[in-house]
Amino acid sequence: MHAVPGTPYTWPTSAPRRVENFVDLAHFAWVHDGTLGRRNEPVPPVPEIRREKGALVFAYDPPAMPTVGEALYRASQYRMSMPLTVAIDFTMPDGAHRVLWMTASPVDDASCRTFWLVARSDDREGDLAVLDGAHLAFQQVVLAEDEPVVCNQDPPQIPLDPGIELSVRTDKVSIEYRRWLREMADAAPQGPEAVRAALFPSLLVDAGS
């Protein structure tokens, strides 16, 4: 695949908040109307989510709508490598694949620097500088739509105690993400091995078998 790194950016929000926004299926129709969603179809499907080798994994199939050629808008597979990395694999109508990858690196508890790239197996014929610029420009549109929403969440940290913030059925990804973060946070006082066990419990089963 042809990979193109985006320019890193620093936002005044915690790294988990940034990650949570990245996988919030319910916000597409409202924050990205016409870009990644449609307000006349505001309720996303609730995905089946599983834990797999230290990651939350799920699929998402967005509603049909016209998009620009550079849009990352197709049936997709999400892989959230805990705690702060997301890779999304999009399958295009012709079978080509495009990937959006990000990791949110904490600066402090209320700000983070996000590193990201896009990659594609198609759209590689012609002037790559021009093509790459178009793909990055689409992502900049999405980021410009997200930034005021994400950076005005109060508090900038994610509260891990259930009930502090209201969740609804379509927040299933966020609920599962916060649950796993809470398990890791609870394990932290016991040391690195406890955190490792919370992140990769299957390794303990394998070791004991």
Side-chain angles (χ1 to χ4, degrees):
M1 298 184 77
H2 178 66
V4 186
T7 301
Y9 53 90
T10 302
W11 285 359
T13 190
S14 67
R17 283 277 197 204
R18 180 68 193 102
V19 170
E20 187 176 61
N21 163 259
F22 211 77
V23 298
D24 177 18
L25 305 180
H27 90 289
F28 292 155
W30 305 102
V31 178
H32 305 294
D33 182 29
T35 310
L36 297 177
R38 304 162 59 116
R39 289 198 179 176
N40 61 354
E41 295 188 54
V43 181
V46 178
E48 293 296 323
I49 305 170
R50 67 182 187 277
R51 295 186 182 189
E52 179 182 282
K53 298 179 180 178
L56 286 175
V57 180
F58 63 93
Y60 172 61
D61 194 4
M65 74 173 194
T67 58
V68 299
E70 299 81 28
L72 294 181
Y73 189 82
R74 288 293 184 269
S76 49
Q77 296 287 329
Y78 282 68
R79 185 174 189 85
M80 301 176 62
S81 297
M82 295 292 288
L84 299 172
T85 298
V86 183
I88 313 172
D89 186 338
F90 301 83
T91 302
M92 309 307 287
D94 62 358
H97 284 265
R98 296 180 181 178
V99 171
L100 176 58
W101 172 91
M102 67 86 77
T103 192
S105 177
V107 174
D108 52 40
D109 67 348
S111 64
C112 68
R113 186 161 179 78
T114 300
F115 300 88
W116 62 285
L117 63 79
V118 290
R120 62 187 189 274
S121 65
D122 64 345
D123 203 16
R124 295 180 297 174
E125 299 297 324
D127 187 331
L128 277 179
V130 173
L131 295 171
D132 292 349
H135 283 268
L136 292 175
F138 176 81
Q139 296 307 315
Q140 291 296 340
V141 170
V142 175
L143 290 176
E145 293 170 341
D146 270 327
E147 184 175 10
V149 176
V150 178
C151 295
N152 283 288
Q153 289 179 291
D154 184 22
Q157 302 83 14
I158 281 184
L160 297 182
D161 294 331
I164 292 180
E165 291 185 347
L166 177 65
S167 296
V168 296
R169 182 171 177 267
T170 50
D171 291 323
K172 184 176 180 181
V173 177
S174 296
I175 292 168
E176 292 301 321
Y177 177 54
R178 292 184 183 202
R179 178 178 290 125
W180 206 348
L181 285 178
R182 188 164 57 250
E183 291 172 12
M184 294 173 67
D186 289 344
Q190 304 170 50
E193 286 303 312
V195 175
R196 180 171 172 267
L199 189 55
F200 300 105
S202 62
L203 293 183
L204 297 180
V205 176
D206 295 341
S209 60

